[in-house]
Amino acid sequence: MDKRSCKRSLSYAGLLFILVLFIILFLSMGWELQKKEYMLLGYMAATYPEQESELLGAVNEPERHYSDIYYEKGRALEEKYGFDTGSRDTSRLILRYFFLFCGVTCAAGLLFLYADIQSRKRCRCMEEDYSSSFC
């Protein structure tokens, strides 16, 4: 295996690693959001045990139970007590994963850009060596 195919294999392995990292990242974010939903459902069921089936229905059949009216009521309730979307753990979690995603993507892009620049330099040097040997 020559150097070129070895570097190409390493590039593919790096791409595969980044792809797997992204998949793990988004699965982890989904798990965290699901965990938050379960905790909220558990709290509401403990507070209102007589409404457990209705709570489960609201979580598992959102199109039947959710509407813009509830959305507006929730926003008004947050405003009434001085909360905002940015203060929620879920919002911070999504922002954390977004910035992690952006950071990894930028780092991968810079690494591949650096590898491309080095490859072009190597090709230029080889072309110069080749052309100078025939002059």
Side-chain angles (χ1 to χ4, degrees):
M1 203 168 168
D2 62 335
K3 283 186 175 183
R4 187 175 230 174
S5 62
C6 181
K7 288 187 179 191
R8 186 176 298 137
S9 297
L10 285 175
S11 294
Y12 290 138
L15 281 173
L16 181 64
F17 174 75
I18 290 170
L19 180 67
V20 168
L21 185 67
F22 286 150
I23 290 170
I24 290 171
L25 182 75
F26 287 114
L27 286 175
S28 174
M29 185 176 72
W31 171 250
E32 287 293 322
L33 290 173
Q34 185 179 21
K35 192 168 108 177
K36 289 281 184 192
E37 189 175 89
Y38 284 159
M39 288 183 346
L40 180 62
L41 183 63
Y43 171 76
M44 290 170 40
T47 306
Y48 306 105
E50 66 280 352
Q51 295 178 342
E52 284 180 352
S53 63
E54 188 177 326
L55 292 171
L56 282 172
V59 170
N60 292 314
E61 299 172 6
E63 61 278 349
R64 197 172 62 136
H65 293 279
Y66 294 166
S67 71
D68 291 335
I69 296 169
Y70 295 128
Y71 173 77
E72 292 300 324
K73 277 187 165 239
R75 299 245 338 148
L77 186 64
E78 280 191 341
E79 287 176 11
K80 179 180 175 182
Y81 291 103
F83 290 98
D84 63 344
T85 307
S87 68
R88 249 188 257 130
D89 288 339
T90 306
S91 298
R92 282 187 245 138
L93 177 74
I94 291 171
L95 282 175
R96 184 179 339 141
Y97 279 104
F98 174 74
F99 285 122
L100 186 60
F101 174 78
C102 290
V104 170
T105 303
C106 288
L110 289 174
L111 285 173
F112 284 111
L113 182 64
Y114 176 75
D116 186 49
I117 290 170
Q118 293 301 318
S119 175
R120 289 174 194 245
K121 281 183 184 178
R122 223 177 6 265
C123 285
R124 266 189 251 122
C125 288
M126 288 173 62
E127 287 173 357
E128 289 173 1
D129 289 344
Y130 182 72
S131 64
S132 65
S133 65
F134 287 108
C135 293

